[in-house]
Amino acid sequence: MEAQVNMEEPKLDSGEGCSSSPSVGAQGNEEETTIDGGEGCSSSNPMRAQECQRQPSSSRNNEEEPVFGLEKDIDKLVDLLTCSNDQGNEEKWVVSIVGIGGIGKTTLAEKVYLDTRVKKHFEVAAWIFIPKRWNKEDVMLSIFSKTVGVLPGEDWDPGKLEAKIKGFLRGKLYLIVLDSLHVEAWRDICHVLPHHGGSKVLITTRNRDLSLYVDGKFEEHEAKLLKNEEQRWKLFRRIAIERKGKRIEEFGELGKQMSDKCHGLPLGMMMLAGLLGTKDISEWEPVDSAFTSIIEKYEGASETLLLDKTLCELFTLCYHNLPSYLKQCFIHLALFPENVEVPTGMLTRMWIAEGFVDTDGQSCEAEEVATGYLEELIERCLVQKVKKSYTGKVKLCRLHNRIREFCIEKANEESFLEVIHSNYQEFTSTSTQIRRAAVVYGSQLPKQYSNLRSLNHFGECGMLMQNYSFESELVRVELKPVCENFKLLRVLNLWGIRTHDQSLPAQLGDLIHLRYLGLVATDIKLLPRSIGNLCNLLTLDYRRIVGPDYVAGRLPNVLGKMQSLEHLYLESYIHIVTSAKEPLKLDALKKLKTLKNIAAGDWMIQQMGGLSSSLRKLGITGISNQQQLKAVFQCPSILNTSLLNLQLSWDKGVNYDIQDLRLLRSCEKLKKLVLSGKIEKLAPIVPPNLLDLSLKHNSLTVGDMKEAIGKLDSLKYLSLQDAYDGKCLTFGEGVFPELECLALSDMPFLEEIIIENDAMPHLKKLEIDCCRQLKTLPEGLEHVELQHLSIIHMPKPFGDELKQEGSECYKTIQHIPLLEII
């Protein structure tokens, strides 16, 4: 593998939970699992590490939030990281960004890490988050996977892993960022980071004593408060006034006074501005009065104590100003592990199952109401938007660590939720009113809470490693007591856990109140027939079965009994056990809105016509004959006006009637389309309003590119995988006026790409993967304002030329901020 600066975001796909890692260019950006029909060198690699922890966001497709007042700090830190002794400067090995929580240490580190000068300087770079309750082996595994680029074999040994890290980094120019570091973690990490000329470690920490434990040149950089009055006002008014379309003249004078009272602490300013953004000018003065009282309470205290106490009370002020329907949704987020990016679809469906979402008097469905709740929390700056899909939805969100601490405290205070970490902590609440519990990286159960309504169990693999696990090292969870002790459960969310027998117990069927069952990234391979008793179940999320043997999962043929079911998420390799006497009865699920990755079969011939008219998302894999494909395109639910997302894959050699495919044109509300299978002519079938299109194993022509998909004026994401057989691919003048991301992969005959003037004027990201005959970068690329270029699985000379200073390719990409060569 090439040494690389790999800063890509987690591949946790849309707001629906975790997915198996799709091949490059296959994922689109709304759904969590895409149909993987791929062969060739861009197919999913089970040994690549994918992490759900926060990563620098430059490669994400959402708009980057502006940052105020950091320009000089960024320049200074970039100089510290890239300087060397031969420049006449004293070289530092460790650079530490120090400051109180909420001052913006991580934001500053991200900006430096993603700076073009830094990316071009280092051969290897990795961003490592250190949680409060950290585990040495997990951290070492994270360092190894992000530097070496793969995960070690199953029979890994912690000592050998540390030696491999040190050996890989020795002699390489590396940058390691350790975010949220504390002294104890540094003591265990530092020995694997070889101290040699030019390599650097960048740290963010609240601990000012770290220099005492660093063996080598150390530089401390104080994260500064935003002292510039004009910059403070820009940040404040953008959130409180401009984003809401209010008139600055009306709010300006009082707004400036209030922004100054935050003393330049960015998190405090954003939260206060987010609160005021929800209010009219007549309501600003009471908030100002309350905030002034908070500040006066701590007059005379040290600046650090004043800022810390003020921030804590500001959290309380913002919480008390939330409408009642948002309070429980907000503190509910505390159940997720520290720093984890939460899939928003999973989150909102959990809120619905919990009963937090009120649709009385609403004309829209519960999912839309819940999404509105989340968007309001984001607008108030209580929840951070991490990533948006190309269809405009927020895909991932997270809590700032200081806000999460407040939520946990408030949840305990109100007996709303208890969170425990690992097996070293016990459930401590004496309240019998606790209704929700979260277990993070442990096996114990809150047996004393017999009235529990929600149990969330997060294993090490669910949140840290999506595609790999070290089975011998993992905590095993006994699930039978869950079913026996918590008969009132509405939500059972098992993410990344390992069990003793790789199955759910038969007693699962006793949980008749269950409305949400999440089984993501577990080793559970067998579900009991009693699951059919769950007559109130709204969501069954059964995906990404993991383990050393990768055995397919088995689901009993009882889905037809679960008539409340609205969302069914599966994988193509999950086998539903049917027979001639007991056929699959999906047409009995009249409330179904999501049916993802169901395996094709004879059930389609009889039942496609009876599928729920409420379907919004449909994915069918492995269509094996023309009759099955015909049944899809003649299904009323496919042609209805509600379908937003359609993913289909059919086998090689499956013939189709073009007249059937033409019916897709009538799906005017369809926003995302994935078609994996041979199509000889695309022009007549593509729906007009697509935002996200992935085509695999097609045989596109130049005419298709120009007449069919090139005229999709709203398209933002396009993936072509083994979809074009020509030698030259031309993007003509004026095509794809709104396209933001283009992914090209597995095109064995492609030798040349031409981008004509005014083609793809908004393109931000280009991925080229496994196009081995491609001789050079696309002609005309220098005229495109790209932000991110990924070159993956290409011949070594291709990548070498890109990195060779003075070459034509090197000159072509100088304007691109983020370059990946893998």
Side-chain angles (χ1 to χ4, degrees):
M1 171 173 286
E2 294 291 326
Q4 61 187 286
V5 178
N6 189 343
M7 305 175 190
E8 196 167 11
E9 75 279 10
K11 293 289 194 296
L12 218 167
D13 238 324
S14 86
E16 320 296 341
C18 290
S19 74
S20 56
S21 179
S23 54
V24 171
Q27 67 199 46
N29 273 287
E30 182 177 358
E31 284 310 313
E32 64 289 36
T33 304
T34 56
I35 296 169
D36 185 11
E39 298 175 4
C41 50
S42 68
S43 60
S44 177
N45 180 356
M47 292 295 289
R48 289 198 64 80
Q50 304 294 343
E51 300 203 8
C52 299
Q53 304 271 351
R54 181 181 183 180
Q55 299 292 302
S57 58
S58 174
S59 61
R60 297 179 184 136
N61 57 322
N62 56 306
E63 317 81 37
E64 191 172 342
E65 292 291 330
V67 175
F68 300 96
L70 294 181
E71 294 81 3
K72 291 182 180 178
D73 297 83
I74 292 170
D75 287 341
K76 179 181 177 182
L77 287 165
V78 168
D79 287 342
L80 283 169
L81 294 179
T82 58
C83 77
S84 58
N85 285 328
D86 58 12
Q87 294 173 313
N89 299 314
E90 184 183 26
E91 185 182 341
K92 308 296 182 183
W93 177 44
V94 176
V95 178
S96 177
I97 302 174
V98 180
I100 64 171
I103 202 169
K105 300 182 295 296
T106 297
T107 298
L108 176 56
E110 283 185 351
K111 293 297 178 185
V112 172
Y113 181 72
L114 294 170
D115 189 279
T116 305
R117 294 165 289 179
V118 170
K119 290 195 296 287
K120 290 178 179 177
H121 183 77
F122 293 99
E123 293 177 79
V124 178
W127 182 285
I128 314 295
F129 170 73
I130 311 296
K132 276 187 178 179
R133 295 174 176 86
W134 65 288
N135 175 282
K136 179 181 177 181
E137 284 72 27
D138 288 342
V139 173
M140 290 301 168
L141 180 58
S142 185
I143 295 173
F144 184 91
S145 66
K146 290 184 179 181
T147 53
V148 180
V150 297
L151 285 161
E154 288 175 23
D155 297 327
W156 72 294
D157 174 83
K160 291 180 179 178
L161 188 67
E162 293 172 21
K164 286 181 178 180
I165 294 171
K166 194 167 186 176
F168 179 82
L169 293 177
R170 186 177 289 115
K172 291 185 174 67
L173 197 62
Y174 69 78
L175 170 65
I176 304 295
V177 179
L178 301 175
D179 184 25
S180 197
L181 185 72
H182 32 91
V183 169
E184 293 78 10
W186 172 253
R187 287 171 174 165
D188 277 343
I189 294 171
C190 63
H191 69 278
V192 304
L193 303 176
H195 181 191
H196 55 253
S199 291
K200 301 291 167 62
V201 180
L202 179 63
I203 290 168
T204 70
T205 183
R206 299 182 197 178
N207 193 317
R208 298 180 182 276
D209 298 326
L210 195 62
S211 60
L212 302 175
Y213 304 92
V214 175
D215 181 19
K217 300 291 185 179
F218 179 88
E219 177 84 11
E220 184 175 279
H221 179 86
E222 181 83 24
K224 301 178 182 65
L225 297 168
L226 196 56
K227 294 293 189 181
N228 184 286
E229 190 174 316
E230 182 180 351
Q231 291 173 337
R232 286 203 302 260
W233 174 230
K234 277 184 180 179
L235 173 62
F236 192 86
R237 80 183 187 208
R238 182 179 181 277
I239 297 171
I241 301 173
E242 294 170 359
R243 201 162 67 181
K244 295 292 185 178
K246 298 175 179 178
R247 294 173 56 196
I248 292 179
E249 298 81 11
E250 186 179 356
F251 293 83
E253 186 176 345
L254 182 56
K256 285 183 179 180
Q257 294 174 11
M258 296 182 74
S259 69
D260 289 342
K261 291 178 182 178
C262 294
H263 301 285
L265 187 65
L267 181 59
M269 293 176 65
M270 292 174 66
M271 291 189 64
L272 182 59
L275 170 60
L276 294 173
T278 66
K279 299 180 178 294
D280 294 326
I281 186 64
S282 60
E283 301 173 288
W284 279 36
E285 290 190 5
V287 174
D288 180 43
S289 177
F291 190 50
T292 301
S293 298
I294 291 172
I295 295 169
E296 290 174 350
K297 189 190 301 186
Y298 300 103
E299 246 182 64
S302 67
E303 183 180 65
T304 300
L305 180 62
L306 171 66
L307 291 171
D308 187 67
K309 294 295 186 181
T310 301
L311 192 59
C312 290
E313 299 224 21
L314 185 55
F315 292 155
T316 302
L317 179 64
C318 290
Y319 177 74
H320 286 317
N321 273 271
L322 285 174
S324 57
Y325 61 85
L326 283 184
K327 287 181 178 178
Q328 53 194 357
C329 293
F330 175 50
I331 59 175
H332 177 266
L333 276 157
L335 67 86
F336 292 97
E338 181 186 9
N339 224 59
V340 160
E341 297 175 349
V342 181
T344 57
M346 180 186 72
L347 177 65
T348 53
R349 284 191 294 276
M350 288 174 68
W351 287 352
I352 292 168
E354 289 270 16
F356 297 164
V357 179
D358 183 8
T359 57
D360 289 346
Q362 302 274 2
S363 59
C364 48
E365 296 184 347
E367 287 80 9
E368 295 175 75
V369 177
T371 299
Y373 288 0
L374 178 60
E375 288 173 350
E376 190 170 346
L377 289 171
I378 291 171
E379 287 290 310
R380 289 172 175 266
C381 296
L382 296 175
V383 175
Q384 296 176 346
K385 175 180 65 178
V386 174
K387 187 176 184 181
K388 286 180 68 175
S389 73
Y390 288 105
T391 59
K393 291 174 57 179
V394 178
K395 293 173 59 176
L396 298 169
C397 67
R398 68 183 293 275
L399 287 180
H400 188 284
N401 288 340
R402 286 295 304 271
I403 296 177
R404 180 177 180 269
E405 290 167 7
F406 168 80
C407 286
I408 290 176
E409 182 181 326
K410 183 58 65 174
N412 287 335
E413 180 184 309
E414 298 185 1
S415 298
F416 178 86
L417 165 72
E418 185 167 3
V419 180
I420 69 163
H421 296 79
S422 77
N423 286 328
Y424 302 105
Q425 186 181 1
E426 299 290 338
F427 285 93
T428 57
S429 176
T430 57
S431 171
T432 59
Q433 302 302 312
I434 293 286
R435 293 291 182 266
R436 295 163 196 87
V439 182
V440 181
Y441 313 150
S443 63
Q444 70 278 56
L445 296 171
K447 295 179 182 178
Q448 66 270 40
Y449 306 146
S450 59
N451 292 324
L452 212 62
R453 302 294 195 271
S454 173
L455 177 61
N456 300 270
H457 214 304
F458 301 103
E460 295 101 323
C461 291
M463 308 311 292
L464 290 174
M465 295 298 166
Q466 291 189 45
N467 285 334
Y468 195 79
S469 63
F470 303 112
E471 300 300 317
S472 61
E473 301 293 322
L474 297 178
V475 173
R476 304 280 164 174
V477 179
E478 179 63 56
L479 293 177
K480 188 176 179 180
V482 172
C483 302
E484 292 176 340
N485 294 327
F486 308 121
K487 296 291 179 68
L488 300 178
L489 280 180
R490 287 186 169 197
V491 172
L492 178 58
N493 187 22
L494 307 175
W495 193 351
I497 69 160
R498 296 296 178 270
T499 62
H500 291 284
D501 57 3
Q502 300 183 345
S503 66
L504 282 179
Q507 292 85 349
L508 178 71
D510 296 338
L511 305 181
I512 58 173
H513 302 286
L514 205 62
R515 304 181 73 193
Y516 182 99
L517 177 58
L519 308 170
V520 176
T522 73
D523 66 347
I524 296 170
K525 297 179 173 63
L526 182 63
L527 271 60
R529 285 193 64 83
S530 63
I531 194 174
N533 298 341
L534 305 182
C535 57
N536 292 304
L537 196 67
L538 301 178
T539 296
L540 173 57
D541 193 345
Y542 183 33
R543 287 174 294 169
R544 286 190 47 253
I545 300 170
V546 295
D549 50 1
Y550 299 102
V551 175
R554 293 171 66 86
L555 179 63
N557 184 19
V558 292
L559 292 173
K561 297 170 62 177
M562 302 160 66
Q563 297 191 12
S564 295
L565 199 63
E566 295 183 357
H567 304 282
L568 177 59
Y569 292 92
L570 300 173
E571 296 280 15
S572 58
Y573 53 76
I574 290 176
H575 177 57
I576 302 177
V577 184
T578 60
S579 66
K581 292 182 179 179
E582 192 180 32
L584 193 60
K585 294 182 179 179
L586 293 178
D587 55 353
L589 305 179
K590 297 304 182 184
K591 297 181 180 181
L592 202 62
K593 299 174 184 177
T594 303
L595 177 59
K596 291 305 301 292
N597 293 319
I598 186 81
D602 291 338
W603 66 268
M604 298 171 65
I605 311 299
Q606 291 85 26
Q607 296 184 47
M608 282 299 298
L611 287 185
S612 167
S613 59
S614 301
L615 270 179
R616 301 291 185 270
K617 302 171 186 175
L618 175 64
I620 303 177
T621 68
I623 296 171
S624 60
N625 58 57
Q626 184 178 1
Q627 290 74 26
Q628 293 175 0
L629 194 59
K630 192 177 188 70
V632 172
F633 291 109
Q634 292 184 350
C635 171
S637 297
I638 295 289
L639 305 177
N640 72 25
T641 57
S642 301
L643 194 69
L644 301 174
N645 185 314
L646 176 63
Q647 302 185 28
L648 302 171
S649 79
W650 54 93
D651 298 343
K652 291 180 180 179
V654 173
N655 295 316
Y656 59 88
D657 187 335
I658 192 65
Q659 298 305 319
D660 291 335
L661 268 66
R662 283 179 188 271
L663 297 173
L664 274 177
R665 288 282 298 175
S666 64
C667 300
E668 294 186 357
K669 288 193 176 181
L670 198 65
K671 300 301 180 187
K672 175 167 181 171
L673 177 63
V674 177
L675 297 177
S676 178
K678 184 161 180 138
I679 300 176
E680 293 179 353
K681 190 164 182 61
L682 201 62
I685 71 170
V686 181
N689 299 317
L690 287 177
L691 299 174
D692 189 327
L693 174 63
S694 295
L695 300 171
K696 306 179 190 179
H697 313 307
N698 310 135
S699 297
L700 300 186
T701 64
V702 174
D704 286 325
M705 292 297 299
K706 184 175 180 181
E707 301 299 328
I709 55 179
K711 292 185 176 180
L712 293 172
D713 291 345
S714 301
L715 196 68
K716 293 182 179 295
Y717 176 87
L718 174 63
S719 169
L720 302 177
Q721 180 181 347
D722 185 26
Y724 184 75
D725 294 333
K727 293 184 177 181
C728 179
L729 180 56
T730 300
F731 295 92
E733 184 176 355
V735 300
F736 302 122
E738 297 298 327
L739 196 69
E740 296 179 10
C741 181
L742 173 65
L744 306 173
S745 59
D746 290 337
M747 297 187 183
F749 307 109
L750 186 64
E751 298 179 0
E752 183 181 16
I753 301 173
I754 299 173
I755 302 174
E756 296 184 353
N757 288 338
D758 297 325
M760 304 183 289
H762 294 106
L763 192 67
K764 297 177 182 176
K765 182 176 181 179
L766 173 63
E767 298 178 2
I768 299 175
D769 181 4
C770 207
C771 299
R772 294 189 173 274
Q773 297 302 315
L774 189 64
K775 301 184 185 306
T776 187
L777 288 172
E779 180 183 327
L781 186 63
E782 65 273 16
H783 304 305
V784 180
E785 296 184 7
L786 271 189
Q787 299 298 309
H788 186 175
L789 174 63
S790 288
I791 305 296
I792 306 170
H793 298 137
M794 294 293 284
K796 189 174 184 297
F798 191 100
D800 289 345
E801 188 178 1
L802 294 182
K803 294 184 287 186
Q804 183 179 344
E805 291 191 35
S807 70
E808 288 302 315
C809 284
Y810 186 86
K811 294 175 184 176
T812 299
I813 63 174
Q814 283 302 290
H815 68 290
I816 302 174
L818 180 56
L819 172 66
E820 288 180 303
I821 303 173
I822 302 174

